[in-house]
DNA sequence: CTTTAAATCTTGACAGTGTCAACATAGCCT
DNA sequence: AGGCTATGTTGACACTGTCAAGATTTAAAG
């Protein structure tokens, strides 16, 4: 009764679970997360989490949502650095995106992976945070098109899908360890940036 | 004893398992595959598969390997169509790649997903088939560079990682249903192809 | 205050899963 | 014919997510 962890009511179980789960995922990957072990770690019975999350997907969605909030903030910060030239910001964005994925591979996997997005397992709550994040990618692309950095021809949405797809693809090849490793990151990003910017150069 | 499925020795259990598993994956996804159900479907006890595959990963690796063989063949066929102009073949390759992923999302997920490639779960057998497939991507890229279709600047490997990354990324956004769906495929591929080819155009 | 309702947590249980050890059967080779 | 090896079976273990029923604490209402 005196020890906080042995009270019948934990007090702040929801955030305790989120915290512990986030740590676990970051260190050992999404697949290693077991609700039962998690509950035990937090010092609570195995079905207590169900009073705070509908199911395992609910927990995962909440963690992913937090990731999207953080990334959205980071992206906006880079994009709004008015002191830097658009091209410099573009390059920085690319490096930052891939760097973020490489630094938090497990979280990235959760945020953009099949677990949550396949079969409609994503919570409405998660969608509410993620979609504006996707939308922002399109806004940036439109801006870079208007700045003459990217080709003006394609629709912003279409082009955003391709440029974002490129970053996403590079990130996944890295994370999954497919024919690319961390020592290639900088060169890959530079190559990608150069490729995109060259594409618009001959249309001026 | 008269019925083939009730014999003590199945006769060709290995390929029966592969066949049933491939079908199951194609229709319901990798996650839905259970060794026990699979064994039951084939009409065999739950631990019989272990005499043909080291573990579940062994089975999955074998299926993925077959996928790589098929894809490698398809890719080579497209690439070696000497009658078509390099640019046409390039475009066709892009469409075919994304199309293949969209047509066999579950198999693509298995072939290039984290299940097999993370944590060294890929069999040596699988690696032996997959790596030449990756390598071929680099060879094609080198050829397209020499043809003036892609920028000559970057190293083939680096550029291949980026172009392949783009296709891989687009495929995954599609498969995972992230801000892109099948109706966008053609336009996305065209945009990507145009983007890459424009990049080299102003260096002639 | 006291009573009632809601939020929270616990134990018991169920249907799954992959995997292994020990045992049974069939086919092949000497 | 005998024995080795490949193949298949049952029993068991340690997990997993999830739910129902009951216990306990807190908050709200009378």
């Amino acid at each position: 009764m005196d020890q906080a962890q042995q009270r019948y009511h934990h007090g702040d179980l929801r955030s305790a679970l989120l915290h512990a789960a986030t740590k676990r995922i970051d260190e050992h990957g999404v697949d290693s997360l077991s609700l039962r072990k998690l509950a035990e770690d937090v010092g609570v019975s195995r079905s207590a989490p169900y009073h705070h999350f509908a199911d395992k997907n609910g927990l995962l969605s909440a963690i992913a949502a937090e990731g999207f909030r953080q990334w959205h903030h980071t992206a906006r910060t880079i994009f709004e650095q008015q002191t830097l030239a658009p091209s410099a910001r573009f390059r920085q964005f690319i490096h930052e995106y891939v760097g973020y994925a490489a630094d938090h591979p497990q979280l990235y996997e959760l945020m953009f992976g099949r677990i949550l997005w396949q079969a409609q397992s994503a919570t409405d709550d998660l969608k509410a945070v993620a979609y504006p994040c996707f939308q922002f990618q399109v806004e940036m692309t439109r801006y870079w098109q208007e700045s003459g950095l990217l080709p003006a021809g394609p629709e912003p949405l279409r082009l955003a899908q391709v440029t974002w797809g490129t970053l996403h693809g590079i990130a996944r090849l890295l994370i999954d360890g497919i024919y690319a490793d961390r020592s290639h990151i900088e060169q890959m990003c530079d190559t990608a940036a150069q490729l995109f910017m060259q594409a618009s150069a001959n249309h001026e």
Side-chain angles (χ1 to χ4, degrees), chain A residues 122-139:
Chain A
T123 307
D124 289 344
D125 206 68
L126 171 58
K127 287 179 188 166
V129 186
Y131 272 70
C133 204
F134 301 162
Q135 195 62 40
F136 186 61
Q137 188 84 21
V138 183
E139 289 173 31

Side-chain angles (χ1 to χ4, degrees), chain A residues 14 16-17 32 71-72 85 92 119 146 158 188 196:
Chain A
R14 191 190 148 92
L17 286 170
S32 83
W71 168 246
H72 198 5
Q92 192 187 347
E146 288 166 358
R158 217 56 69 210
M188 285 169 70
F196 290 146

